Amino acid sequence: MADSVISEIPPTMCLEKPSIDFSYVGIDAILEQMRRKAMKQGFELNIMVVGQSGLGKSTLMNTLFKSKVSRKSFMGTAEEKIPKTIEIKSVSHDIEEKGVRMKLTVIDTPGFGDQINNENCWQPIMKFINDQYEQYLQEEINIDRKKRIPDSRVHCCIYFIPPTGHCLRPLDVEFMRRLSKVVNIVPVIAKADTLTLEERDFFKKKIREELRANGIDVYPQKEFDEDAEDRMINEKIREMIPFAVVGSDQEYQVNGRRLLGRKTKWGTIEVENIAHCEFAYLRDLLIRTHMQNIKDITSSIHYEMYRVCRLNENNTQANGLADHHPASHEI
Amino acid sequence: MVAGESGLGKSTLVNSLFLTDLYKDRKLLNAEERINQTVEITKHTVDIEEKGVKLKLTIVDTPGFGDAVNNNECWRPITDYIDQQFEQYFRDESGLNRKNILDNRVHCCLYFIPPFGHGLRPVDVEFMKALHEKVNIIPLISKADCLTPTEVKKLKDRVRDEIERFGIKVYQFPECDSDEEEEFKQMDKELKECTPFAVIGSNTVVEARGQRVRGRLYPWGIVEVENQSHCDFVKLRNMLIRSHMHDLKDVTCDVHYENYRAHCIQEMTSKLAQDNRTDSPLPILPLPTPDVETEKLIKMKDEELKRMQEMLEKMQQQMHEKDQ
C-alpha cells in the first residue's frame, strides 16, 4: 500500500523536496484500508422511537432517511388503533448510499403513554433494551463465537415530547430519568410547527432546566466528552437540545425548488430550512457527525455497565457452582 | 367549563373568546410538582358589559386533568363539582326564598382534544362518557395550527365517527324551524358539518396584510385567529355567544338538571321508604352542612316529599319518554 502512495507523488517533486520522500512512512494509509473494510462490512444502526401516538414518529423516521423505513409502510395506515399494552415493533432496512451500506433498524413502541393509567409503561421498553444487551452478552461469552456478532443493541432512543409549550410532563421526566441510565436518549420536540419562535425558546429553556434539576443526562452526555474539542462541539449541541422538529414526506414546490414540507393556508413549512425548524441539526447529529460516537458510547459504556452488573450477579450466585456457569469462562 | 390536558391552549382560547385576560397571575407548576397533584377546580368570574347588556361569566378551569402518570378517574373531581352545583341549585329551588337564586350550574363544557393523536384517546372517551349526561359537551380540536387542511378534515371525521361509535352524547345544535330564512338554515347546516371545531387561540396582535389582527407569527407565515379559512374560532365564538348561548342554558335547565333532580328525588324516596321501616333519621344530603341547618332542611323536605311523591310518577314517565 505504501508503494502506491509514494508512486503518486510526481518524480519532479521528489527532486525538489526530498524530505517528503524519506520521512514519509505511509501510516495514514490505514485510513484507506479502514474505509475499504467498512465499505465491505457495512454499518448497523438501531434507533428506537418513543412517544405518544400521533406525534409524528414514523414520519420523522421517513424524513430522516429519505425513504419509507417506518413500520407504517409495511402495515399501511388503514386502522390506527391504540394497542392496549405497549408493543415493541422492530423493522429493518438495508440502505445504500455511494457504495456505503447500512442496516438500519427502527424500533417502534406503539401504545406508550396512550393509556389512562401509564404507570410503569417504561418497563417493557427497559426490558427490551436489556434483552438486547443480554443477547449480545451471551454471544460474546460463547466459547465458539462468531467473527462479527450481530449488533441488535439499541444505539439511540429518540424521545418525542409533545409541544405543550409549558414544561415536561411527569411521564416524560419519569421515563427519561430511568432510561438515560441504559441508553443514549435524544429528546426532540415533536410537531414543532405549533410553537412560535419565542414559545419554542421558552419551552426549550424550561425543558433544559427540568432535565438538569432531575439529574437526567441526555446525549451528548457531559461526562463522556473526551477532550476540549469534543467538549466545545458538544456544548454547542447541548445548548440546542431538545431539537424542535417537523417531519414530512411530501414534497412541494417552493421558489422554484422541490422541497420537503408541510403546506398550510398560511404558508409552507420547509423541513430542511433551519429558520423554520431544527430538523437539519437533528439529522446532522444522528447521521453525519455523531453516529459513530453514539455507537461507541452504547458499546463501551452502557453495554459494559450492563455486563459488569450481570457478571457480578452471576458471580454472587455462582459461588461454588460447577464450571459450566458462564462467568467462570470470562476470567 | 374548560377541560383538557395542560398545554393545549385552554387559557389562551378563553382569553381570546371573551377578549379578557383572566389568567394574568397564573403560576404554572413544573413536572416535579405536578407528579403528586390531583385535579383541581378553579373558578374565575368576570363581569362583561357590551352595549348595555350585562353578562356574568364564570370560567371553571380544571388544572391537572390528564397530566399525571396514572389518570384513573381523573374526571371524578369534575363530576363531583358539577353535581355539587346541581345540588346547590336544587336546595335553593326547594327553599322558601326563591327570589335570588344564583345559577352556578355549568352550562357548557369545552373539551379540548389534542391534535397530535389519530382521534380520541382512551382518556378522552372516558371523560366524555362520564360527563355527557351531566353537562353540554362541546369537543374542540385545539392548537389546530399544526395541522394541514387535509389533516384537519381527516381528524374531524375520525373524531365524529368515534363519538358516534362510543355513544357519546355531545351537545347537538337544535334543528332550525322550517320557517327560518334560507341563509340562517344554510349557516346552521355549515355549523353542524364543522364540528368538532378546530380552533387556534391568540392573545397577541400581529400585522398581516396591512391590518392589525390577532394571530400567531411564524417564520413561514402568519396564522390569523379570526380568519375563517385558517380555523373555526369565529364559528365557535358565534355559536357560543351570539346564537346558542340561550339554548345551552335551556338544555342545561331542561335536560341535565331535570335528570339530576329526578335521580335525586328517586334516591331520597327510596331511602325514605327504607327508613320508615327501620326508624332511623332521614339521610343527610351529600353536601357537608352543619347539623342545625340540616334539621331545618329535613323538616322542609318532609313536607315537600309528600307532594313530590305524587309528581314522581309523572317525572318517571317523562324521563322514560325522553330516553326513547
Side-chain angles (χ1 to χ4, degrees):
Chain A
M1 200 60 186
D3 290 327
S4 59
V5 170
I6 292 177
S7 61
E8 281 167 15
I9 304 172
T12 47
M13 287 275 288
C14 287
L15 288 174
E16 281 156 12
K17 291 185 195 166
S19 50
I20 302 175
D21 229 11
F22 292 130
S23 57
Y24 179 72
V25 176
I27 300 176
D28 59 350
I30 188 82
L31 293 176
E32 177 67 26
Q33 295 173 40
M34 286 173 71
R35 197 169 152 272
R36 283 212 189 150
K37 180 171 172 218
M39 299 261 288
K40 265 198 232 158
Q41 277 183 348
F43 296 94
E44 284 171 321
L45 185 65
N46 305 323
I47 302 187
M48 176 183 263
V49 281
V50 182
Q52 285 182 326
S53 79
L55 284 181
K57 306 188 288 288
S58 317
T59 314
L60 190 73
M61 284 294 112
N62 288 349
T63 321
L64 263 177
F65 296 101
K66 293 219 166 113
S67 50
K68 300 226 180 294
V69 293
S70 70
R71 74 183 154 97
K72 298 233 181 105
S73 354
F74 281 166
M75 278 179 17
T77 48
E79 261 296 308
E80 303 279 358
K81 288 219 314 238
I82 296 180
K84 289 272 182 242
T85 53
I86 301 176
E87 301 168 348
I88 311 261
K89 296 222 171 106
S90 191
V91 172
S92 291
H93 287 267
D94 284 313
I95 308 183
E96 181 171 334
E97 194 184 50
K98 292 196 184 150
V100 179
R101 279 175 304 120
M102 183 163 90
K103 178 163 179 276
L104 170 74
T105 307
V106 177
I107 303 155
D108 202 349
T109 55
F112 175 83
D114 285 329
Q115 310 307 323
I116 297 184
N117 182 356
N118 288 313
E119 260 163 24
N120 297 329
C121 60
W122 46 81
Q123 262 172 14
I125 298 177
M126 280 195 68
K127 183 168 175 308
F128 177 81
I129 294 177
N130 285 335
D131 282 347
Q132 305 311 306
Y133 286 154
E134 182 67 33
Q135 214 176 27
Y136 197 86
L137 182 67
Q138 291 301 329
E139 279 292 337
E140 219 185 28
I141 57 188
N142 246 344
I143 304 175
D144 197 12
R145 51 188 192 185
K146 306 189 193 148
K147 196 165 79 157
R148 264 198 88 211
I149 306 175
D151 190 3
S152 64
R153 298 173 292 190
V154 178
H155 296 128
C156 168
C157 174
I158 305 185
Y159 186 73
F160 285 70
I161 301 172
T164 54
H166 293 320
C167 56
L168 287 179
R169 298 167 304 152
L171 177 64
D172 301 333
V173 171
E174 284 298 318
F175 179 85
M176 287 203 271
R177 184 189 301 171
R178 280 153 218 268
L179 258 74
S180 56
K181 303 201 170 86
V182 293
V183 74
N184 296 322
I185 293 197
V186 177
V188 295
I189 301 177
K191 298 212 168 177
D193 51 345
T194 190
L195 297 170
T196 59
L197 293 180
E198 298 95 44
E199 290 170 355
R200 185 195 291 180
D201 285 333
F202 174 76
F203 192 34
K204 283 210 229 184
K205 232 189 314 184
K206 268 317 279 259
I207 293 182
R208 279 198 292 267
E209 265 169 34
E210 291 208 341
L211 288 179
R212 246 197 312 264
N214 283 296
I216 301 176
D217 221 358
V218 297
Y219 185 81
Q221 291 96 333
K222 263 210 172 104
E223 44 184 341
F224 304 145
D225 281 341
E226 279 166 29
D227 51 29
E229 195 191 317
D230 261 359
R231 205 167 302 136
M232 222 174 57
I233 302 177
N234 287 346
E235 271 307 313
K236 282 216 202 89
I237 298 175
R238 278 191 278 264
E239 274 162 31
M240 284 205 290
I241 50 167
F243 294 119
V245 294
V246 174
S248 165
D249 44 14
Q250 284 178 319
E251 286 184 352
Y252 293 103
Q253 194 87 323
V254 177
N255 291 338
R257 290 177 301 154
R258 287 197 70 77
L259 291 173
L260 284 178
R262 285 169 67 73
K263 188 162 190 207
T264 57
K265 291 232 166 76
W266 45 88
T268 306
I269 304 161
E270 298 165 37
V271 167
E272 302 200 3
N273 184 339
I274 48 176
H276 288 191
C277 78
E278 297 174 339
F279 170 78
Y281 292 128
L282 177 71
R283 181 198 51 205
D284 288 344
L285 178 78
L286 276 185
I287 304 179
R288 293 184 191 176
T289 53
H290 285 68
M291 191 192 329
Q292 190 56 42
N293 184 245
I294 289 177
K295 291 172 69 168
D296 285 341
I297 293 188
T298 308
S299 67
S300 59
I301 296 174
H302 294 295
Y303 171 66
E304 289 300 315
M305 226 163 53
Y306 176 81
R307 186 167 161 279
V308 163
C309 259
R310 272 291 267 132
L311 295 181
N312 276 338
E313 259 176 42
N314 281 346
N315 273 337
T316 53
Q317 282 174 0
N319 275 333
L321 278 185
D323 273 0
H324 74 270
H325 201 90
S328 49
H329 290 293
E330 254 320 296
I331 308 159
Chain B
M1 172 181 271
V2 286
E5 281 186 358
S6 69
L8 287 181
K10 301 190 291 292
S11 331
T12 315
L13 190 74
V14 165
N15 285 343
S16 306
L17 269 176
F18 297 102
L19 291 176
T20 58
D21 195 3
L22 288 175
Y23 291 93
K24 267 194 277 257
D25 301 316
R26 186 169 66 146
K27 177 179 172 289
L28 289 171
L29 302 175
N30 62 24
E32 257 176 9
E33 291 165 5
R34 286 197 280 168
I35 286 179
N36 293 323
Q37 199 197 27
T38 51
V39 181
E40 283 174 13
I41 307 274
T42 57
K43 268 169 72 163
H44 298 270
T45 312
V46 77
D47 285 310
I48 306 179
E49 182 170 336
E50 210 180 69
K51 294 195 186 154
V53 179
K54 294 195 197 133
L55 173 70
K56 179 164 178 283
L57 173 72
T58 308
I59 306 276
V60 180
D61 200 351
T62 56
F65 176 80
D67 280 344
V69 180
N70 180 357
N71 288 316
N72 264 337
E73 308 246 322
C74 58
W75 49 84
R76 187 50 70 81
I78 301 176
T79 48
D80 286 346
Y81 176 82
I82 296 180
D83 282 340
Q84 263 175 22
Q85 304 311 306
F86 281 155
E87 180 85 50
Q88 181 79 41
Y89 195 83
F90 184 43
R91 283 172 17 141
D92 286 346
E93 205 187 39
S94 322
L96 296 174
N97 185 352
R98 305 212 295 186
K99 284 200 203 127
N100 301 320
I101 302 181
L102 264 183
D103 191 359
N104 277 327
R105 299 174 292 184
V106 180
H107 295 127
C108 165
C109 174
L110 296 175
Y111 185 69
F112 286 69
I113 301 173
F116 315 126
H118 296 291
L120 293 177
R121 298 166 303 153
V123 69
D124 299 329
V125 173
E126 290 302 312
F127 176 88
M128 291 205 268
K129 277 170 71 162
L131 259 76
H132 65 163
E133 309 241 305
K134 295 185 197 279
V135 75
N136 297 319
I137 296 186
I138 299 182
L140 299 174
I141 298 178
S142 54
K143 292 206 171 178
D145 53 350
C146 75
L147 299 170
T148 62
T150 24
E151 289 170 354
V152 170
K153 187 165 177 314
K154 210 163 72 154
L155 187 59
K156 284 192 185 181
D157 288 339
R158 268 306 280 271
V159 172
R160 267 201 298 264
D161 281 340
E162 294 190 343
I163 287 179
E164 223 179 277
R165 189 147 50 99
F166 289 109
I168 300 171
K169 300 191 209 118
V170 296
Y171 174 70
Q172 301 293 338
F173 297 108
E175 293 297 331
C176 279
D177 296 326
S178 53
D179 58 350
E180 292 281 359
E181 302 167 349
E182 258 316 309
E183 197 190 318
F184 191 78
K185 279 200 215 167
Q186 182 67 23
M187 262 176 37
D188 204 55
K189 185 155 158 285
E190 276 175 29
L191 215 58
K192 288 192 188 146
E193 280 168 16
C194 234
T195 55
F197 295 125
V199 292
I200 302 171
S202 166
N203 288 334
T204 50
V205 178
V206 294
E207 187 97 16
R209 296 177 284 125
Q211 282 183 323
R212 288 179 68 76
V213 289
R214 279 192 300 148
R216 289 168 67 76
L217 176 64
Y218 290 115
W220 48 85
I222 301 180
V223 179
E224 295 166 46
V225 166
E226 305 198 358
N227 185 334
Q228 296 233 31
S229 64
H230 286 189
C231 73
D232 297 331
F233 174 80
V234 177
K235 295 206 179 77
L236 173 69
R237 182 183 61 192
N238 287 346
M239 188 224 73
L240 205 53
I241 304 176
R242 296 183 193 173
S243 40
H244 290 78
M245 196 195 304
H246 203 69
D247 187 62
L248 283 169
K249 291 175 73 168
D250 283 344
V251 175
T252 310
C253 280
D254 298 338
V255 178
H256 299 294
Y257 174 65
E258 291 300 320
N259 276 344
Y260 171 82
R261 196 161 159 275
H263 180 70
C264 214
I265 296 177
Q266 256 183 340
E267 258 186 42
M268 277 169 46
T269 51
S270 65
K271 275 196 182 152
L272 191 62
Q274 268 182 4
D275 292 335
N276 275 339
R277 285 180 252 127
T278 61
D279 237 47
S280 51
L282 273 175
I284 305 173
L285 292 170
L287 269 184
T289 50
D291 283 318
V292 177
E293 225 189 275
T294 317
E295 293 278 345
K296 272 195 234 161
L297 207 60
I298 290 174
K299 283 204 187 91
M300 267 173 22
K301 294 281 180 234
D302 226 350
E303 296 155 14
E304 283 183 11
L305 271 171
K306 290 191 188 100
R307 271 178 279 146
M308 281 172 185
Q309 263 173 336
E310 299 157 20
M311 278 179 20
L312 188 64
E313 264 134 90
K314 238 205 289 177
M315 294 275 338
Q316 276 180 340
Q317 197 162 16
Q318 273 182 14
M319 263 181 64
H320 196 59
E321 279 165 9
K322 269 190 201 142
D323 275 30
Q324 284 171 349

